[in-house]
Amino acid sequence: MTKIIMHGCNGHMGRVITGLVEKDTDCEIVAGVDPFDDGHNSYPVFSSIEKCDVPADVIIDFASAKAEDALLDYCVDRQIPVVVCTTGLTPEQIEHVRSTACKVAVLKSANMSLGINTLFKLLQDAAKVLAPAGFDIEIVEKHHNQKLDAPSGTALALADSMKEVLGDDYFYKYDRSQEKVKRDPKEIGISAVRGGTIVGVHDVIFAGEDEVIEFTHTAYSKSVFAKGAIEAAKFLAGKEAGMYDMGDVISAR
């Protein structure tokens, strides 16, 4: 039984994860951390990570970036692995994550969905065959109208996965509106759509002569990210210090 501390337990993702773990016989949340607590949780909730004194195997972090540094220091001090899902980290905090991984197991991924992380491998296999054959690569990502960043971190991660096998000659192109030039064969075009309540759609298009191949991942609810985070926590518990990602979780399945 994997014992989990839920960091950010009363935020939207924390509540989703709590509901899913209640139905999971392989893990349990033994404590939560959140500055806002109305007493509805079935486990003790602490206002800050420093106050949490409940033993655990792993921490799932879906909290504010403001709380990240204290969490990482806590994980090193208590030697508790952590699944970092919080977004909006500064470059300095990302470096803090890396240095923490030298002392305790850390798992961080641009997208916690098992489906997206399986797509990374599929795209690499496709790119190795199709790009040399002259197929152009375009990514179109769609999200809700409250999302602040564009393009999405997942779109960039999808592009990065293909660049890994295609080489540094390939580059991103975010905006063609200011240029009147022919498309470069080595471009990976990335377009962002924002509207309504779209949770997340990522289309990767390989456009060749007289044929088009598309890969699409659609998230219908945020539970897909919660499920991935739970699987990551089960995987990370008991692991040695190091930096892990969702690819490691999928490989271990």
Side-chain angles (χ1 to χ4, degrees):
M1 177 73 74
T2 302
K3 296 181 179 180
I4 300 169
I5 293 174
M6 184 66 237
H7 190 240
C9 63
N10 289 332
H12 178 75
M13 289 303 300
R15 290 172 182 260
V16 173
I17 290 172
T18 294
L20 291 173
V21 170
E22 287 176 350
K23 303 172 185 176
D24 194 320
T25 58
D26 295 326
C27 59
E28 65 173 328
I29 296 177
V30 294
V33 177
D34 203 291
F36 307 102
D37 180 28
D38 59 8
H40 75 276
N41 302 92
S42 60
Y43 46 79
V45 176
F46 300 86
S47 58
S48 67
I49 189 65
E50 296 92 340
K51 296 178 180 178
C52 181
D53 58 359
V54 179
D57 301 312
V58 63
I59 297 173
I60 297 178
D61 169 41
F62 258 117
S64 167
K66 295 183 295 184
E68 195 66 26
D69 291 309
L71 170 66
L72 296 172
D73 291 341
Y74 177 92
C75 291
V76 171
D77 182 57
R78 301 293 183 96
Q79 283 296 289
I80 303 176
V82 58
V83 178
V84 176
C85 306
T86 294
T87 59
L89 301 182
T90 65
E92 293 76 17
Q93 287 177 313
I94 292 173
E95 183 56 38
H96 194 178
V97 171
R98 293 194 184 103
S99 63
T100 298
C102 297
K103 304 169 186 175
V104 68
V106 176
L107 189 149
K108 187 177 187 305
S109 186
N111 188 304
M112 299 306 296
S113 159
L114 293 172
I116 279 287
N117 284 275
T118 301
L119 183 58
F120 290 149
K121 178 63 168 62
L122 296 175
L123 290 178
Q124 288 184 331
D125 291 342
K128 284 187 289 187
V129 174
L130 299 175
F135 282 70
D136 297 319
I137 305 172
E138 293 284 322
I139 299 172
V140 180
E141 56 97 344
K142 308 168 190 174
H143 285 86
H144 52 86
N145 58 21
Q146 301 301 302
K147 187 171 179 61
L148 300 180
D149 57 320
S152 69
T154 298
L156 294 174
L158 291 169
D160 283 338
S161 71
M162 292 183 284
K163 276 174 57 70
E164 282 183 21
V165 298
L166 296 178
D168 292 335
D169 289 344
Y170 281 78
F171 60 94
Y172 309 145
K173 175 70 73 171
Y174 303 129
D175 182 9
R176 297 190 179 95
S177 65
Q178 303 304 311
E179 299 179 351
K180 301 296 182 183
V181 296
K182 182 180 177 181
R183 186 191 196 281
D184 190 298
K186 298 297 179 69
E187 288 180 15
I188 300 178
I190 305 178
S191 302
V193 176
R194 297 289 175 267
T197 58
I198 301 171
V199 175
V201 179
H202 291 85
D203 296 314
V204 183
I205 303 163
F206 292 89
E209 187 173 345
D210 299 326
E211 61 179 332
V212 174
I213 299 170
E214 295 187 41
F215 293 82
T216 298
H217 179 274
T218 302
Y220 291 102
S221 77
K222 291 187 176 182
S223 66
V224 299
F225 312 122
K227 291 174 184 176
I230 293 168
E231 292 305 313
K234 294 177 187 177
F235 163 83
L236 199 64
K239 290 290 187 294
E240 296 181 354
M243 181 66 77
Y244 301 84
D245 59 29
M246 288 300 290
D248 297 310
V249 179
I250 291 170
S251 297
R253 292 176 71 85

